[in-house]
Amino acid sequence: MKKLYKGLGWAAGFLNVLDAIFTLYAVNMGLAQEVNPAMAYLLNYPVLFVLVKLLAFSLFVWLGKMTKISICIVFLLYYGIVCIQLGYLLPYWISNL
């Protein structure tokens, strides 16, 4: 079971990276807006935006002494975020083939 939660932690980290990439892309294409004011400001500095997202996630997950249930919740939240992003990005990508 310990491997499962470790795997979910890594999967959530990967989804966090996808979220950062998709957010940068969608905002730059005018398809979305960042609702977090601090992160919206950082979108002017894409490398810094990604670094802050990754650092915040890392601090939250690995230094926050996450419980098994919180790892599951974080994974599900990022899974949902990425699914929503794909919901509006996929039709855009397909229509521009």
Side-chain angles (χ1 to χ4, degrees):
M1 277 307 246
K2 195 172 188 176
K3 288 182 183 182
L4 171 68
Y5 294 108
K6 187 174 183 178
L8 283 176
W10 282 106
F14 176 73
L15 292 172
N16 181 45
V17 172
L18 286 179
D19 173 39
I21 293 167
F22 291 165
T23 299
L24 282 171
Y25 181 82
V27 169
N28 285 331
M29 298 304 292
L31 300 171
Q33 291 181 325
E34 174 63 59
V35 294
N36 179 338
M39 294 306 286
Y41 173 77
L42 290 176
L43 281 169
N44 297 315
Y45 311 96
V47 173
L48 188 58
F49 174 82
V50 173
L51 288 175
V52 168
K53 269 191 83 56
L54 296 178
L55 180 62
F57 177 81
S58 297
L59 288 173
F60 181 71
V61 173
W62 281 279
L63 298 179
K65 298 184 180 170
M66 303 259 309
T67 63
K68 293 176 182 177
I69 190 68
S70 59
I71 290 171
C72 293
I73 290 170
V74 168
F75 169 79
L76 290 172
L77 286 173
Y78 272 106
Y79 180 78
I81 290 168
V82 169
C83 285
I84 290 168
Q85 290 171 323
L86 285 173
Y88 62 80
L89 286 174
L90 282 175
Y92 176 79
W93 291 332
I94 291 169
S95 68
N96 289 304
L97 287 178

